[in-house]
Amino acid sequence: MDNLEKRLVKLILKGDQRAFAEIVELYKDKLFHLAYRMLNNRHEAEDIVQETFLRVYRNMEKYDPEQKFSTWIYRIATNLCIDRLRRKKPSYSLDAEIGDQEGTDGYAMLPSDDRTPESEALLSETQRIIRDAIETLPAKYKSIMVLRYLQDLSLQEISDVLDMPVTTIKTRVHRGREFLRKKLEYKL
């Protein structure tokens, strides 16, 4: 995979748009799953994937070929998710009626989750409980837990993605697990 990525990066730097389309194909699903697991919202995850590829395209000349491409693109996506999580603070009540639309509240404006019966069947009750617990983690732990346990990245890869020392990653993994253990203690 690394040789393919290196070849594609060289072609992209020469202006080959088909090579960029191949990079998009290689990473679009992986990035979507990462963003969805961090944000728990399909539309926001799609936005993050799109923004990630825009940033990759605009900043391709800044990519260091000595670094793994996957690490670079995951770093961009993860940072965008963290930024979105930090900005995500409710500023209104969903129960409040919307100004000029009588009888319509905030719940009517929420996008549907678009789950299919097949995907619904795949989610066990235990997975839902764990996902809900991960959702309550502070952003600094959530990103690390998602990268470690849902994206199966090594501690070193997470360190590269987040540009933090491995010791900090280990500490946050430990604290994140403790947080989840306390949350899940009486639910599982």
Side-chain angles (χ1 to χ4, degrees), residues 63-104:
Y63 168 68
D64 177 8
E66 299 300 314
Q67 184 183 34
K68 283 179 70 177
F69 185 80
S70 62
T71 300
W72 186 62
I73 198 166
Y74 273 125
R75 177 183 294 157
I76 293 169
T78 302
N79 287 340
L80 287 169
C81 288
I82 290 170
D83 289 346
R84 184 76 54 108
L85 286 169
R86 286 182 183 145
R87 286 194 313 258
K88 197 180 198 180
K89 293 192 171 99
S91 58
Y92 60 90
S93 169
L94 292 175
D95 293 319
E97 283 194 14
I98 298 173
D100 61 338
Q101 298 175 355
E102 193 174 289
T104 304

Coordinates of all heavy atoms in Angstrom, one line a residue, residues 63-104:
Y63 N 2.9 17.9 2.2 CA 3.1 16.5 2.6 C 4.5 16.1 2.6 O 5.2 16.3 1.6 CB 2.2 15.6 1.8 CG 2.5 14.1 2.0 CD1 2.2 13.5 3.2 CD2 3.1 13.4 1.0 CE1 2.5 12.2 3.4 CE2 3.4 12.0 1.2 CZ 3.1 11.4 2.4 OH 3.4 10.1 2.7
D64 N 5.0 15.5 3.7 CA 6.3 15.0 3.8 C 6.4 13.5 3.4 O 5.8 12.7 4.1 CB 6.8 15.2 5.3 CG 8.2 14.6 5.5 OD1 8.9 14.2 4.5 OD2 8.6 14.5 6.7
P65 N 7.0 13.2 2.3 CA 7.0 11.8 1.8 C 7.7 10.8 2.7 O 7.5 9.6 2.6 CB 7.8 11.9 0.4 CG 7.8 13.3 0.1 CD 7.7 14.1 1.3
E66 N 8.5 11.3 3.7 CA 9.1 10.5 4.7 C 8.1 10.0 5.7 O 8.3 9.0 6.4 CB 10.2 11.2 5.4 CG 11.3 11.7 4.5 CD 12.0 10.6 3.8 OE1 12.3 9.6 4.4 OE2 12.2 10.7 2.6
Q67 N 6.9 10.6 5.7 CA 5.9 10.3 6.7 C 4.9 9.4 5.9 O 4.7 9.5 4.7 CB 5.2 11.6 7.1 CG 4.1 11.4 8.1 CD 3.4 12.8 8.4 OE1 3.3 13.6 7.5 NE2 3.0 13.0 9.6
K68 N 4.2 8.5 6.7 CA 3.2 7.6 6.0 C 2.0 8.5 5.6 O 1.6 9.4 6.4 CB 2.7 6.6 7.0 CG 3.6 5.4 7.2 CD 3.1 4.4 8.2 CE 1.9 3.7 7.6 NZ 1.3 2.6 8.6
F69 N 1.5 8.3 4.4 CA 0.4 9.1 3.9 C -0.8 8.9 4.8 O -1.6 9.9 5.1 CB 0.1 8.8 2.4 CG -1.0 9.7 1.9 CD1 -0.7 10.9 1.4 CD2 -2.3 9.2 1.8 CE1 -1.6 11.8 0.9 CE2 -3.3 10.0 1.3 CZ -2.9 11.3 0.8
S70 N -1.1 7.7 5.2 CA -2.2 7.4 6.0 C -2.2 8.2 7.3 O -3.2 8.7 7.8 CB -2.4 5.9 6.3 OG -1.2 5.4 7.0
T71 N -1.0 8.3 7.9 CA -0.9 9.1 9.1 C -1.3 10.5 8.9 O -2.0 11.1 9.7 CB 0.5 9.0 9.7 OG1 0.8 7.6 9.9 CG2 0.7 9.8 10.9
W72 N -0.8 11.1 7.8 CA -1.1 12.5 7.5 C -2.6 12.7 7.2 O -3.1 13.7 7.8 CB -0.3 12.9 6.2 CG -0.3 14.3 5.9 CD1 0.1 15.4 6.6 CD2 -0.8 14.9 4.6 NE1 -0.1 16.5 5.9 CE2 -0.7 16.3 4.7 CE3 -1.4 14.3 3.5 CZ2 -1.0 17.1 3.7 CZ3 -1.8 15.2 2.5 CH2 -1.6 16.5 2.6
I73 N -3.2 11.9 6.5 CA -4.6 12.1 6.2 C -5.5 11.8 7.4 O -6.5 12.5 7.6 CB -5.1 11.3 4.9 CG1 -6.4 11.8 4.4 CG2 -5.2 9.8 5.2 CD1 -6.7 11.3 3.0
Y74 N -5.1 10.8 8.2 CA -5.9 10.6 9.5 C -5.7 11.8 10.4 O -6.6 12.2 11.1 CB -5.4 9.3 10.2 CG -6.1 8.1 9.7 CD1 -5.3 7.0 9.3 CD2 -7.4 8.0 9.8 CE1 -6.0 5.8 8.9 CE2 -8.1 6.8 9.4 CZ -7.3 5.7 9.0 OH -8.0 4.6 8.6
R75 N -4.5 12.4 10.4 CA -4.3 13.6 11.3 C -5.2 14.7 10.9 O -5.9 15.4 11.7 CB -2.9 14.0 11.2 CG -2.6 15.3 12.1 CD -1.2 15.8 12.0 NE -0.3 14.9 12.6 CZ 1.0 14.8 12.3 NH1 1.5 15.6 11.4 NH2 1.7 13.9 12.9
I76 N -5.3 14.9 9.6 CA -6.2 16.0 9.1 C -7.7 15.7 9.5 O -8.3 16.6 10.1 CB -6.1 16.2 7.6 CG1 -4.7 16.7 7.2 CG2 -7.2 17.1 7.0 CD1 -4.4 16.6 5.7
A77 N -8.1 14.5 9.3 CA -9.5 14.2 9.6 C -9.8 14.2 11.1 O -10.8 14.8 11.5 CB -9.9 12.8 9.0
T78 N -8.9 13.7 11.9 CA -9.0 13.7 13.3 C -9.1 15.1 13.9 O -9.9 15.4 14.7 CB -7.9 12.9 14.0 OG1 -7.9 11.6 13.5 CG2 -8.1 12.9 15.5
N79 N -8.2 16.0 13.4 CA -8.2 17.4 13.9 C -9.5 18.1 13.5 O -10.0 18.9 14.3 CB -7.0 18.1 13.3 CG -5.7 17.7 14.0 OD1 -5.7 17.1 15.1 ND2 -4.6 17.9 13.4
L80 N -10.0 17.8 12.3 CA -11.3 18.4 11.9 C -12.4 17.9 12.8 O -13.3 18.7 13.2 CB -11.6 18.1 10.4 CG -10.7 18.8 9.4 CD1 -11.0 18.2 8.0 CD2 -11.1 20.3 9.4
C81 N -12.4 16.7 13.2 CA -13.4 16.1 14.1 C -13.3 16.8 15.4 O -14.3 17.1 16.0 CB -13.3 14.6 14.2 SG -13.8 13.7 12.7
I82 N -12.1 16.9 15.9 CA -11.9 17.5 17.3 C -12.4 18.9 17.2 O -13.1 19.4 18.2 CB -10.4 17.4 17.7 CG1 -10.1 15.9 18.0 CG2 -10.2 18.3 18.9 CD1 -8.6 15.7 18.2
D83 N -12.1 19.6 16.2 CA -12.6 21.0 16.1 C -14.1 21.1 16.1 O -14.7 21.9 16.7 CB -12.0 21.7 14.8 CG -10.5 22.0 14.8 OD1 -10.0 21.9 16.0 OD2 -10.0 22.2 13.8
R84 N -14.7 20.2 15.3 CA -16.2 20.1 15.3 C -16.8 19.8 16.6 O -17.7 20.4 17.1 CB -16.6 19.1 14.2 CG -18.1 18.9 14.0 CD -18.7 20.0 13.1 NE -18.0 20.3 11.9 CZ -18.5 20.0 10.7 NH1 -19.7 19.4 10.6 NH2 -17.8 20.3 9.6
L85 N -16.1 18.9 17.4 CA -16.6 18.5 18.7 C -16.5 19.7 19.7 O -17.4 19.9 20.5 CB -15.8 17.3 19.3 CG -16.2 16.0 18.7 CD1 -15.2 14.9 19.1 CD2 -17.6 15.6 19.1
R86 N -15.4 20.5 19.5 CA -15.3 21.6 20.4 C -16.3 22.7 20.2 O -16.7 23.4 21.1 CB -13.9 22.2 20.2 CG -12.8 21.4 20.9 CD -11.4 22.0 20.7 NE -10.4 21.1 21.3 CZ -9.2 21.0 20.8 NH1 -8.8 21.7 19.7 NH2 -8.3 20.2 21.4
R87 N -16.6 22.9 18.9 CA -17.6 23.9 18.5 C -19.0 23.5 18.8 O -19.9 24.3 18.8 CB -17.5 24.3 17.0 CG -16.3 25.1 16.7 CD -16.4 25.7 15.3 NE -16.8 24.7 14.3 CZ -16.0 24.1 13.4 NH1 -14.7 24.4 13.4 NH2 -16.4 23.3 12.6
K88 N -19.2 22.2 19.0 CA -20.6 21.6 19.0 C -21.2 21.8 20.4 O -21.1 21.0 21.3 CB -20.5 20.1 18.8 CG -21.8 19.4 18.4 CD -21.4 18.0 18.2 CE -22.5 17.3 17.4 NZ -22.2 15.9 17.2
K89 N -21.7 23.0 20.6 CA -22.4 23.3 21.9 C -23.8 23.7 21.6 O -24.0 24.7 20.9 CB -21.6 24.4 22.7 CG -20.3 23.9 23.1 CD -19.6 24.8 24.1 CE -18.4 24.2 24.6 NZ -17.2 24.6 24.1
P90 N -24.8 23.1 22.2 CA -26.2 23.5 21.9 C -26.4 24.9 22.4 O -26.1 25.2 23.5 CB -27.0 22.5 22.7 CG -26.1 21.8 23.6 CD -24.7 22.0 23.1
S91 N -27.0 25.7 21.5 CA -27.3 27.1 21.9 C -28.8 27.4 22.0 O -29.2 28.5 22.1 CB -26.6 28.0 20.8 OG -27.1 27.7 19.6
Y92 N -29.6 26.3 21.9 CA -31.0 26.5 22.0 C -31.6 25.2 22.4 O -31.0 24.1 22.4 CB -31.6 26.9 20.6 CG -31.4 25.8 19.5 CD1 -32.3 24.8 19.3 CD2 -30.2 25.9 18.7 CE1 -32.1 23.8 18.3 CE2 -30.0 24.9 17.8 CZ -30.9 23.9 17.6 OH -30.7 23.0 16.6
S93 N -32.9 25.2 22.9 CA -33.6 24.1 23.3 C -34.3 23.4 22.2 O -35.0 24.1 21.4 CB -34.6 24.5 24.4 OG -35.4 23.4 24.7
L94 N -34.3 22.1 22.0 CA -35.0 21.4 21.0 C -36.5 21.5 21.2 O -37.3 21.3 20.3 CB -34.5 20.0 20.9 CG -33.1 19.8 20.4 CD1 -32.7 18.3 20.4 CD2 -32.9 20.3 19.0
D95 N -36.9 21.7 22.5 CA -38.3 21.8 22.8 C -39.0 23.1 22.4 O -40.2 23.2 22.3 CB -38.6 21.5 24.3 CG -38.2 20.1 24.6 OD1 -38.5 19.2 23.9 OD2 -37.6 19.9 25.7
A96 N -38.1 24.1 22.2 CA -38.7 25.5 21.9 C -39.2 25.5 20.5 O -38.7 24.9 19.6 CB -37.6 26.5 22.0
E97 N -40.3 26.2 20.4 CA -40.9 26.4 19.0 C -40.0 27.3 18.2 O -39.4 28.2 18.7 CB -42.3 27.0 19.1 CG -43.3 26.0 19.6 CD -44.8 26.5 19.3 OE1 -44.9 27.5 18.6 OE2 -45.7 25.9 19.9
I98 N -40.0 27.0 16.9 CA -39.2 27.8 16.0 C -40.1 29.0 15.5 O -41.2 28.8 15.1 CB -38.8 26.9 14.7 CG1 -37.9 25.8 15.3 CG2 -38.1 27.7 13.7 CD1 -37.5 24.8 14.2
G99 N -39.5 30.1 15.7 CA -40.1 31.4 15.4 C -41.4 31.5 14.6 O -42.5 31.5 15.1
D100 N -41.2 31.6 13.3 CA -42.4 31.8 12.4 C -43.1 30.5 12.0 O -44.0 30.5 11.3 CB -42.0 32.6 11.2 CG -40.9 31.9 10.4 OD1 -40.2 31.1 10.9 OD2 -40.8 32.3 9.2
Q101 N -42.6 29.4 12.5 CA -43.2 28.1 12.1 C -44.0 27.5 13.2 O -43.5 26.8 14.0 CB -42.1 27.1 11.6 CG -41.4 27.6 10.4 CD -40.2 26.7 10.0 OE1 -39.9 25.7 10.7 NE2 -39.5 27.0 8.9
E102 N -45.2 27.9 13.3 CA -46.1 27.5 14.5 C -46.2 26.0 14.6 O -46.4 25.3 13.6 CB -47.5 28.1 14.3 CG -48.3 28.1 15.5 CD -49.6 28.8 15.3 OE1 -49.6 30.1 15.3 OE2 -50.6 28.1 15.2
G103 N -46.0 25.5 15.8 CA -46.2 24.1 16.1 C -45.0 23.3 15.7 O -45.0 22.1 15.9
T104 N -43.9 23.9 15.2 CA -42.7 23.1 14.9 C -41.6 23.4 15.9 O -41.3 24.5 16.2 CB -42.2 23.6 13.5 OG1 -43.2 23.4 12.5 CG2 -41.0 22.8 13.1

